């Protein structure tokens, strides 16, 4: 399923959420095994909807992106900077309140 946005550039959160809602109406969230997205697919509202719908997601993130971690957000770089290339770390933390327990895994790749 896709939507022609009739514009230049990336989609915004609202456009992505509209597409996700249409998918849910036609197929249902339970049909999504996982969502794979590149680093422009970020934002609190986007993540909240993915968590609420219990959609597993894998999104590449820039190291300066801040993610919920306890009482204060931390940068992805701070959480995973100690990793050597090819190594990974799994963090299980509640993300966006009561919505979901998220496992965050990062794997350091070559720059």
């Amino acid at each position: 399923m896709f939507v022609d946005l009739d514009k230049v550039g990336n989609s915004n959160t609202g456009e992505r959420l509209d597409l996700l809602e249409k998918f849910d109406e036609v197929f249902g969230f339970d049909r999504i095994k996982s969502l794979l997205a590149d680093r422009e697919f970020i934002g609190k509202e986007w993540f909240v909807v993915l968590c609420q719908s219990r959609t597993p997601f894998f999104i590449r993130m820039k190291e300066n992106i801040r993610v919920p971690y306890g009482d204060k957000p931390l940068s992805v770089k701070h959480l995973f900077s100690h990793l050597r290339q090819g190594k990974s770390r799994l963090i299980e933390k509640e993300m966006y309140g009561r919505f979901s327990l998220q496992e965050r895994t990062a794997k350091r790749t070559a720059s």
Side-chain angles (χ1 to χ4, degrees), residues 21-91:
E21 185 178 313
K22 287 177 185 173
F23 184 94
D24 184 38
E25 290 170 5
V26 175
F27 302 107
F29 282 125
D30 59 318
R31 299 288 303 241
I32 301 174
K33 300 300 180 203
S34 65
L35 183 123
L36 177 64
D38 207 359
R39 53 182 138 184
E40 65 268 4
F41 287 77
I42 57 169
K44 182 177 180 179
E45 187 179 3
W46 173 245
F47 290 137
V48 166
V49 170
L50 293 175
C51 291
Q52 285 177 328
S53 66
R54 301 195 182 284
T55 301
F57 57 92
F58 304 89
I59 300 178
R60 197 172 87 160
M61 292 185 183
K62 294 180 182 179
E63 64 182 21
N64 65 343
I65 295 296
R66 298 176 69 77
V67 295
Y69 192 86
D71 294 336
K72 62 179 182 173
L74 294 175
S75 70
V76 170
K77 180 179 182 176
H78 180 81
L79 290 171
F80 301 105
S81 63
H82 67 284
L83 295 177
R84 289 194 207 118
Q85 186 175 332
K87 297 297 181 182
S88 60
R89 175 184 180 190
L90 172 67
I91 299 173

